[in-house]
Amino acid sequence: MTVVPFSQALRERTWSSHGASEGAGFMTELMQGKGTRNDYVALVAQHYFIYEALEAVARGMADDPIASAFVSPKLTRLPAIEADLDFLLGDGWRAQISPLPTTQRYVDRIKETATWNGGFIAHHYTRYLGDLSGGQHIGRLMQRHFGFDTNGILFYIFDEIASPDAFKETYREQLDAVDWSAEERERVIDEVVLAYRFNTELFDDLSAAKAAA
Ligand code: HEM
């Protein structure tokens, strides 16, 4: 019997959810160059709240026997997001942004995983492996569409990670090395599906906010 590595099962079982996130209208328009600079800024602002929560939980996981293997300062995104918002909105950016309803629910859920290492890893995987995958392509497109140099898209630049592909490969090996029960693996997969759903619904919120503006 061939045993499918967990990282492969995780990817396969969540790939249709990935497709729903990837195909959201808000994202498609941004990538096709049909979105405005304001649309892009609105997305960066939501990232601020998501990574603020994720990286706060990550700090608490620094000594966790399982999750600590995944936590790395090379991934930390919040300072880059803050610098991007400073560049995009100027001084006082913090008072100009607030979480959309889905972002608030997403953030609340991430915070709940502070007591569940598998859930935290699910959210960590969904964001950072995405940022190191499609995110790299998205960053280059935003750079081109809006004429940014690096300011404004620092979020997409992992300057301490020379090879995203090699990093992702190691990350998958670490996922495969965790001694989770079959039940825990199922719970982690379900949490990744949930994380994708938050991302898809966030794009819907961003479209709705845009339509209402
Ligand atoms: C337009 C938007 C997107 C595009 C074009 C895109 C594209 C891609 C591509 C091409 C890969 C495969 C990379 C590889 O095999 O190494 C990938 C992987 C991934 N993406 Fe996306 N993506 C998008 C949006 C998202 C979103 C919104 C999320 C979640 C927040 C996400 C999370 C992931 C994850 C976790 C992986 C790694 C899957 C794995 O190999 O285990 N992506 N993406």
Side-chain angles (χ1 to χ4, degrees), residues 64-140:
D64 182 89
I66 295 175
S68 56
F70 297 89
V71 175
S72 164
K74 295 179 183 178
L75 292 170
T76 307
R77 295 292 84 202
L78 196 59
I81 297 171
E82 290 173 335
D84 284 338
L85 287 168
D86 195 61
F87 172 77
L88 295 164
L89 290 171
D91 282 352
W93 58 266
R94 182 61 187 84
Q96 298 176 48
I97 65 171
S98 53
L100 288 165
T102 298
T103 304
Q104 191 57 56
R105 288 188 292 116
Y106 190 3
V107 161
D108 290 346
R109 181 63 189 172
I110 289 171
K111 287 182 181 164
E112 280 171 20
T113 68
T115 53
W116 173 32
N117 54 14
F120 163 71
I121 293 167
H123 286 282
H124 189 274
Y125 159 85
T126 310
R127 286 300 338 178
Y128 296 114
L129 248 61
D131 299 334
L132 288 168
S133 303
Q136 296 302 292
H137 176 57
I138 296 168
R140 282 188 295 273

Side-chain angles (χ1 to χ4, degrees), residues 6-8 10-12 14-15 17-24 26-28 30-31 43 47 50-51 106 122-138 141 164-165 168-169 171-172 175 192 195-200 203:
F6 176 63
S7 61
Q8 190 186 330
L10 174 63
R11 184 193 168 98
E12 287 172 6
T14 61
W15 200 243
S17 301
H18 176 275
S21 282
E22 183 181 354
F26 183 86
M27 207 57 220
T28 309
L30 258 185
M31 292 186 63
L43 175 64
H47 284 161
I50 295 165
Y51 286 83
Y106 190 3
H123 286 282
H124 189 274
Y125 159 85
T126 310
R127 286 300 338 178
Y128 296 114
L129 248 61
D131 299 334
L132 288 168
S133 303
Q136 296 302 292
H137 176 57
I138 296 168
L141 285 178
D165 284 346
K168 286 191 291 180
E169 200 46 49
Y171 194 101
R172 291 191 187 102
L175 281 174
V192 170
Y196 276 126
R197 196 179 311 143
F198 281 129
N199 281 282
T200 307
F203 290 138

Side-chain angles (χ1 to χ4, degrees), residues 191-210:
E191 193 69 20
V192 170
V193 169
L194 181 65
Y196 276 126
R197 196 179 311 143
F198 281 129
N199 281 282
T200 307
E201 291 176 6
L202 169 56
F203 290 138
D204 295 343
D205 276 13
L206 283 161
S207 288
K210 180 179 169 171

